[in-house]
Amino acid sequence: MRIVGIVAAGGRGARLGAAVPKQLLAIGGESILRRSVRLLAEHARIDEVVVVLPPDLAEDGAANLAAELAFPGKRLTVVAGGARRQDSVRNGFDAVRGRADVVVIHDAARPFASADLVSRTIDAAVESGAALAALAASDTVKLAVGGTREGLLVVERTVPRERVFLAQTPQAFRADVLAAAIEAGRGGEVATDEAALAEAAGFPVRIVAGEPSNLKITTMTDLKAAAALAGAPSAVRVGTGYDLHQLAEGRPLILGGVTVPSENGLAGHSDADVLAHAITDAVLGAVARGDIGRHFPDTDPRWKGASSMVMLAHAVTLAREAGFDIVNVDAVVIAERPKLAPHIDRIRASLASVLGVEAARVSVKGKTNEGVDAVGRGEAMAVHAVVLVSGRG
Ligand code: MG
């Protein structure tokens, strides 16, 4: 029997308010997405894994992400999602149609499901056609109706809670059942999970006892709880970075991956993003992995004109490999002109997306050198940066 896992990561997690899609945020040294992919990829009974990403991510970062998400010995395919969850899962299923007997679908936002829960859901689906993990309601359950004023809710009745279950993932299906359920959903049936499509198509869907720890990370509170579940970091490290580039005519001014309108740009082998360079050095410094010159020598033609944000992303990967996540970044950009204030928030968001943290953890401050020295004469721009990382290293 060939079993395929689909990780549904097509949403952007707007409720979390992060600059990056929530599935790319890291907890305990590993992104939420990678943790969820690991659950299926390392499962002994699952033969291959499909990851469904938001279309823009699937396009821009497919190669990088596929490398980051790869697990030895398991075929991994990254596909672009659709407008609705069910469209995303359909795209994922289309990628493996014909070579799957059973399909296990799991939310990227639930990194803590156990391998045992995956097995039990598979077993139930093999036996009954469709199954989902669901948690028995432990609180008393009330059914509400609208009250006399708008926004007012009153209890209509108390529902026997023995019959109330809160749906989780994994959800597993025989391939023929999933195909029929998806086909039924094509007609306009809108569902927030695949089990609902199977129910609507008339298939019995088995309930498998879910796990309270199989938390869905939706809000910032969930993210904090998830970080605690992943285990509190046992170590913090700090790194510092400094860089200076000369200003030159006819060059764009790029700071933190953002092109800032300016009469002069920075001279250099790469795009001369002095801010990205200083932060890259700070990240490398925090995990004692050398410096930017060692990893990206300017004698190497690969880096000529390269986006320095690619170098920063690589430094973040090295930090993760060493077991550390970025906690926060603080940087001072010293320049006589242009005024950076109007561009700071865009720069912070750009850096945050590569650092894998919310923009609230990235600080960039502009400063002049009061006309003193080369920086003060407007001949150069300098940056000091400090990075804190935490992890298990
Ligand atoms: Mg530099």
Side-chain angles (χ1 to χ4, degrees), residues 243-245 272-274 277 292:
D243 197 22
L244 178 145
H245 278 253
D273 187 335
V274 65
H277 292 179
I292 197 166

Side-chain angles (χ1 to χ4, degrees), residues 9 11 17 37 85 94 130 133 163 168 172 207 232 241 244 266-267 376:
V37 172
R85 179 193 166 93
D94 282 345
R163 296 188 56 200
Q168 301 184 332
I207 288 178
L244 178 145
L266 294 168

